[in-house]
Amino acid sequence: MPKAVLMDHDGAIDDLLSQLLVLTMPDVDLIGVTVTPADCYIEPALESTYKLLQLMGKEQIPLGRGDYYGINAFPSEWRARPEIINALPMLINLPKAPDPYTYLSAPDLIIDRLTNAPGNVTMLMTGPCSNLVLALEKAPELAAKLEEVVWMAGAFNVSGNVQTFQHDGSAEWNVLWDPISTKKLLELELPLTFIPLDVTNHVPVTKAFLSTLATQIDYNLSNLTGQFWALTIDTIPGYYYTYFMWDILATSYLAMPEQFKTEVVKAKVSTRPPNAGQTYLDDAGYSVKIATDVNVEYFYEYLLTQFKR
């Protein structure tokens, strides 16, 4: 029986790639998608999300609109990327997406999907955790319906990827956007698996990978994902900022958990500058699972196979 998965993403290129990857998984039943206005502007991001569902013949999957804005905003240049995605040749002429303000709010859709799921649900989060926390604050009894929460977030034994004012660089962006909700999430003590920078740092978007992917250009998904990833080569705000397969790696965990090394640790999160959003190990913290390593070669081959459709 396919695994029921509810996905919450924040509209960036790697989030949209992750949504496509989920839709290629035969053992996954995607029961809903919610979008957080973090690394995106919400209207074009919902349009991108809907267009990708259309492309895969899955437009019946319900969408939820995040209307909570976090504490520390992502750079506006990053947030504008869905506008470019929507203009790509394979997407620009697809039928118009619904009015984004007709969607349920993201927390309400999460509540609806968990309530009506016949069994337990895996939650995949590739953006901040705010929508899930807001949903469980309204309906705390639904925490029991969560089989596992897989979250691309955090940096435990490595440096963060935040380069901004009044910050020491120790945090990862999905946590920094709303460290208060991250603290609340840890306090809920859910079956939470972090896919942090500790492991995503092993899987950069390399030109060698893109070159191999381009040899599959006759396959629609290889063609489209190659265009998505090509947009990451000049990642703003600086050429020195390497684009990694953050969300894609977290998503692949659904299909190949045995290819990851994980460990159970006790962790906390800082909510104040100069290290707001830093996730750190602490014996007095909350029990979570973190991924520390992955079979890199297997992962890249898995992507090439999944997008050869």
Side-chain angles (χ1 to χ4, degrees):
M1 184 175 179
K3 176 188 297 186
V5 170
L6 184 55
M7 182 178 190
D8 185 282
H9 70 66
D10 66 340
I13 290 173
D14 53 339
D15 297 88
L16 297 168
L17 283 162
S18 295
Q19 181 186 323
L20 276 175
L21 182 59
V22 169
L23 292 168
T24 70
M25 295 179 177
D27 295 330
V28 165
D29 178 20
L30 185 61
I31 63 172
V33 181
T34 52
V35 182
T36 301
D39 198 5
C40 68
Y41 292 103
I42 191 65
E43 295 86 359
L46 282 166
E47 182 180 352
S48 301
T49 301
Y50 181 77
K51 284 186 171 184
L52 294 183
L53 292 177
Q54 278 189 314
L55 191 72
M56 301 296 284
K58 298 288 186 178
E59 57 266 41
Q60 77 280 4
I61 294 175
L63 301 185
R65 184 194 72 256
D67 51 18
Y68 168 79
Y69 288 79
I71 296 168
N72 301 296
F74 277 77
S76 58
E77 295 91 345
W78 297 359
R79 297 178 67 197
R81 285 302 173 99
E83 293 280 13
I84 302 173
I85 295 297
N86 291 331
L88 291 177
M90 286 179 64
L91 301 181
I92 192 168
N93 290 325
L94 288 176
K96 183 175 173 59
D99 178 347
Y101 293 95
T102 61
Y103 294 125
L104 279 179
S105 75
D108 286 347
L109 184 68
I110 291 171
I111 290 170
D112 173 80
R113 297 286 81 196
L114 291 177
T115 300
N116 291 298
N120 286 351
V121 173
T122 296
M123 184 87 190
L124 170 66
M125 300 189 298
T126 60
C129 66
S130 314
N131 286 332
L132 177 61
V133 170
L134 289 167
L136 293 179
E137 285 181 337
K138 291 178 72 173
E141 70 280 2
L142 292 177
K145 293 292 290 285
L146 291 166
E147 182 80 25
E148 184 176 18
V149 178
V150 179
W151 188 22
M152 190 280 115
F156 292 90
N157 295 303
V158 297
S159 298
N161 62 358
V162 171
Q163 298 168 11
T164 191
F165 297 105
Q166 293 189 301
H167 202 281
D168 65 7
S170 59
E172 182 275 326
W173 266 107
N174 283 342
V175 180
L176 176 69
W177 191 78
D178 186 4
I180 301 298
S181 286
T182 302
K183 181 175 182 291
K184 291 178 178 179
L185 182 71
L186 291 176
E187 291 168 350
L188 288 171
E189 296 190 290
L190 302 172
L192 176 59
T193 299
F194 280 92
I195 310 296
L197 300 186
D198 306 56
V199 64
T200 64
N201 283 350
H202 300 174
V203 287
V205 178
T206 65
K207 287 190 176 179
F209 171 80
L210 295 184
S211 178
T212 303
L213 183 62
T215 66
Q216 303 179 178
I217 197 170
D218 291 339
Y219 295 92
N220 281 346
L221 288 187
S222 292
N223 191 335
L224 183 61
T225 57
Q227 293 178 46
F228 274 41
W229 268 309
L231 295 172
T232 70
I233 295 298
D234 67 340
T235 301
I236 299 168
Y239 64 87
Y240 53 83
Y241 195 100
T242 303
Y243 205 95
F244 291 91
M245 294 192 181
W246 300 288
D247 298 346
I248 282 277
L249 185 65
T251 302
S252 75
Y253 179 83
L254 300 178
M256 46 179 251
E258 73 284 352
Q259 300 299 327
F260 287 76
K261 289 184 180 177
T262 62
E263 59 181 273
V264 176
V265 300
K266 295 288 186 71
K268 287 186 175 182
V269 60
S270 173
T271 58
R272 298 182 298 184
N275 65 326
Q278 180 186 13
T279 48
Y280 58 94
L281 304 181
D282 188 318
D283 288 340
Y286 300 94
S287 181
V288 297
K289 184 189 293 186
I290 64 171
T292 58
D293 203 357
V294 65
N295 183 334
V296 173
E297 184 177 352
Y298 187 100
F299 165 69
Y300 284 123
E301 285 299 322
Y302 173 74
L303 293 186
L304 291 169
T305 299
Q306 292 303 105
F307 292 137
K308 201 171 185 179
R309 292 167 181 262

